[in-house]
Amino acid sequence: MLEEMELRSEMICVCRKLESRGLIAASDGNVSCRAGEGRLLITPSGLPKGELKESDLLVVDLQGNRLSGEGKPSSEVRMHLAVYEKRPDVAAIVHAHPPLLTAYTLAGLPFMADALPEVWLTIGPVPTAPYATPSTEEVPRAIAPYIEKHRAILLERHGSLTVGKSVEEAYLRLEKLEHAAKTLYYAFVLNQYHPDPLPLSALRKLEALKS
Ligand SMILES: [Zn+2]
């Protein structure tokens, strides 16, 4: 495992990417990773992710009690704890509010991970957990049936949860999914709408301009 200072800088790097690539806004989302026996590093509640510093990150135990750092740990700490408890193989979690993936849940559409071979190979199925009040015990309850067998879960009307063996891996899975969501969206739009070509008379006028 990386040293704690390296983990902190990896987390800050991912927080900046979440903000700069439009996968969250302001203080949305949260990031955590394992940082030694019984310890997690987690983002603080209420601070904009794009402006976080390494020293803003908190250390909590596996019950969510703060061991070091200022302020309060992320309000979604219980969601993170529920995943770490069931998945010893998971070392990091990224929760974000990616616009298109979240829009799929608003539209009531399942995310078609099986439509794109690379998504299916590297991430696999991506279920949508039913709506739960953010930052409450309802969230870990809503995702509970999906934690053990998935690398990514969508949260209805809320956002995404991706896991990995590192913060970078959990982040890249999110980036890949939002990109795939765009491709699926374009395919959907193109299927619905075929633009008409210009009328022959208009094309002839263009031809005349060429000569
Ligand atoms: Zn959220």
Side-chain angles (χ1 to χ4, degrees), residues 76 95 97 158:
E76 296 289 11
H95 162 57
H97 295 179
H158 183 172

Side-chain angles (χ1 to χ4, degrees), residues 163-205:
V163 303
K165 292 196 187 316
S166 67
V167 180
E168 179 73 3
E169 186 178 56
Y171 167 77
L172 288 175
R173 285 177 175 160
L174 162 65
E175 194 180 278
K176 197 173 184 68
L177 284 181
E178 181 70 353
H179 190 266
K182 280 183 200 157
T183 306
L184 292 170
Y185 174 75
Y186 295 148
F188 175 74
V189 171
L190 293 172
N191 261 333
Q192 300 293 309
Y193 178 67
H194 302 280
D196 292 327
L198 284 168
L200 211 50
S201 58
L203 289 173
R204 285 206 181 105
K205 282 184 193 170

Side-chain angles (χ1 to χ4, degrees), residues 2 8 11 36-38 43 47 74 80 85 98 124 128 134 139 145 148 151 171 184 186 188 193 203 206-207:
L2 297 174
R8 283 177 186 260
M11 280 183 63
E37 190 65 32
T43 47
L47 297 183
S74 162
H80 292 243
E85 193 189 328
T128 301
V139 181
E148 268 155 299
R151 291 172 173 167
Y171 167 77
L184 292 170
Y186 295 148
F188 175 74
Y193 178 67
L203 289 173
L206 291 174
E207 285 301 317

